[in-house]
Amino acid sequence: MEYVVDTKALTKQYGRHKAVDSVSLHIRRGEIYGFIGRNGAGKTTFMKMISGLSTPTSGELALFGASGREAAKHHNRIGNLIEQPGLYEGMGAKENLHLKCLALGIHAHGYEESLLQTVGLQDTGKKKVKQFSLGMKQRLGIAMALAGRPDLLILDEPVNGLDPQGIAEIRELLLKLKTEKNMTILISSHILEELYKVADTFGIIHKGVLIQELSKEELNQKCNEYTEIKTPNTDLACPVIEQMGYRKYQVISHDTIHIYDTAIEIGALNMALAKAGCMVEFLQVVQDKLEEYFLNLTRD
Ligand code: ATP
């Protein structure tokens, strides 16, 4: 398997302190990799080393199958948004992007507009960045990172400080970049719950050490994800659930059903239940052990 990022015992030491301690991490092409860790765990330091913004103290880094000195030649295939997006507040979105494009030597007509379209900022006109919401600034930061059509996008805590709507917008954008542009994305957060909604693979870092790397499926198994339906008509709901091909379900009580199959199409299920005359009072994927799992792993 050729990985986009493949590290072996990658380490960054500041004085006596190892900010990143012997991390071996693997990112597959086309996936969203969720990098999760508490504040100060070493996420930013790791991302800087991958991006070529910081030199490892020791260990190996392979990018796009190239290792050693060859890996450095691939840094230009990486777009990153690490810490704050470097934006000129007195300029508009297009002007900011234009400067980035000039720096990268991109002169294609309409290029900035197409990037703004991708991140949903095409209608900002002459509005200056200082009048943007935090979410708009983050999206512009992502557009800047996308300039030059990178193969790997690295985003450090892109939803930090955003309101629920801003978080949802970034989430949609990331999924769009993955499915429509086949982009590989490394994204960090200290909230596992949020990363869970977009990531395919998870790396959990604590005090510089990668304590676990696991797929969404493996995480689900550990955290016991299920879909909960609350309805007074459980007798009507069961045949609908079966018709939709879900086999692993259980009637928990007179008004509650749990489905343990994964990849449940919530919208379609809801419509099918309603069509069958079943009154749905609650329908949601429940993952109440997720944060607990993370906290247990990173408890001192
Ligand atoms: P946060 O979510 O708070 O940004 P993080 O997981 O990104 O945290 P890092 O910023 O990578 O963590 O920091 C990891 C550790 O390395 C911290 O203890 C930090 O103080 C230390 N560190 C980071 N950069 C430097 C530096 N330039 N010099 C000395 N120590 C540093």
Side-chain angles (χ1 to χ4, degrees):
M1 159 78 65
E2 186 196 300
Y3 294 108
V4 168
V5 176
D6 183 359
T7 71
K8 285 193 185 69
L10 204 67
T11 299
K12 180 77 188 183
Q13 193 158 345
Y14 292 111
R16 288 174 147 204
H17 175 64
K18 285 182 179 168
V20 171
D21 188 358
S22 205
V23 166
S24 299
L25 177 149
H26 313 83
I27 304 177
R28 291 185 183 81
R29 193 177 296 274
E31 76 170 350
I32 299 184
Y33 190 105
F35 199 31
I36 168 103
R38 295 176 178 214
N39 288 339
K43 305 180 295 294
T44 307
T45 307
F46 181 82
M47 289 173 144
K48 281 185 175 168
M49 287 192 284
I50 303 300
S51 307
L53 302 173
S54 166
T55 315
T57 310
S58 61
E60 292 171 33
L61 165 64
L63 293 173
F64 303 96
S67 51
R69 284 171 184 234
E70 289 297 305
K73 292 184 183 163
H74 294 272
H75 278 137
N76 60 358
R77 295 173 69 183
I78 300 175
N80 67 64
L81 174 55
I82 294 179
E83 293 170 338
Q84 296 300 311
L87 301 172
Y88 292 99
E89 298 267 327
M91 293 183 180
K94 191 178 160 190
E95 291 165 288
N96 266 284
L97 263 180
H98 183 63
L99 286 180
K100 175 81 194 243
C101 290
L102 278 182
L104 292 174
I106 301 167
H107 303 289
H109 180 70
Y111 192 79
E112 291 88 349
E113 285 84 352
S114 74
L115 281 177
L116 290 175
Q117 182 95 32
T118 302
V119 300
L121 288 178
Q122 66 277 15
D123 298 324
T124 52
K126 291 198 188 318
K127 195 171 192 173
K128 294 200 177 6
V129 167
K130 62 182 165 204
Q131 295 161 317
F132 281 17
S133 68
L134 197 55
M136 288 166 78
K137 285 184 187 172
Q138 284 301 80
R139 279 188 283 152
L140 180 55
I142 294 176
M144 307 268 276
L146 287 172
R149 184 77 179 86
D151 294 307
L152 170 65
L153 185 63
I154 295 184
L155 304 174
D156 188 15
E157 305 257 7
V159 299
N160 232 4
L162 298 191
D163 60 16
Q165 163 143 5
I167 292 176
E169 284 169 4
I170 299 284
R171 189 191 310 140
E172 276 166 36
L173 171 59
L174 297 182
L175 291 171
K176 185 169 116 176
L177 289 170
K178 178 189 148 165
T179 50
E180 294 178 13
K181 314 251 183 222
N182 198 24
M183 183 112 8
T184 308
I185 303 171
L186 168 62
I187 169 178
S188 73
S189 176
H190 55 273
I191 312 164
L192 181 54
E193 210 86 52
E194 187 45 47
L195 279 187
Y196 180 81
K197 293 177 186 154
V198 289
D200 306 293
T201 303
F202 303 84
I204 300 173
I205 187 168
H206 184 52
K207 293 189 173 171
V209 177
L210 189 73
I211 50 175
Q212 210 157 78
E213 187 172 55
L214 71 177
S215 67
K216 190 168 205 169
E217 212 164 55
E218 288 165 334
L219 184 63
N220 282 340
Q221 280 165 8
K222 287 180 192 285
C223 295
N224 196 19
E225 181 199 69
Y226 58 88
T227 301
E228 182 167 279
I229 305 169
K230 280 207 177 285
T231 171
N233 319 109
T234 51
D235 50 333
L236 295 175
C238 291
V240 175
I241 292 168
E242 287 189 18
Q243 274 160 26
M244 290 196 68
Y246 305 130
R247 295 282 173 264
K248 292 186 246 165
Y249 72 91
Q250 202 177 352
V251 180
I252 299 293
S253 69
H254 69 284
D255 69 346
T256 307
I257 302 173
H258 287 176
I259 309 177
Y260 299 100
D261 293 80
T262 51
I264 301 283
E265 290 177 42
I266 295 284
L269 176 60
N270 195 15
M271 275 179 52
L273 288 169
K275 238 180 182 175
C278 177
M279 192 170 78
V280 178
E281 291 167 346
F282 179 90
L283 174 58
Q284 199 176 322
V285 176
V286 179
Q287 185 94 59
D288 51 4
K289 286 194 188 162
L290 202 62
E291 218 53 42
E292 203 180 300
Y293 174 70
F294 172 59
L295 289 175
N296 276 337
L297 275 179
T298 56
R299 194 158 284 153
D300 290 322

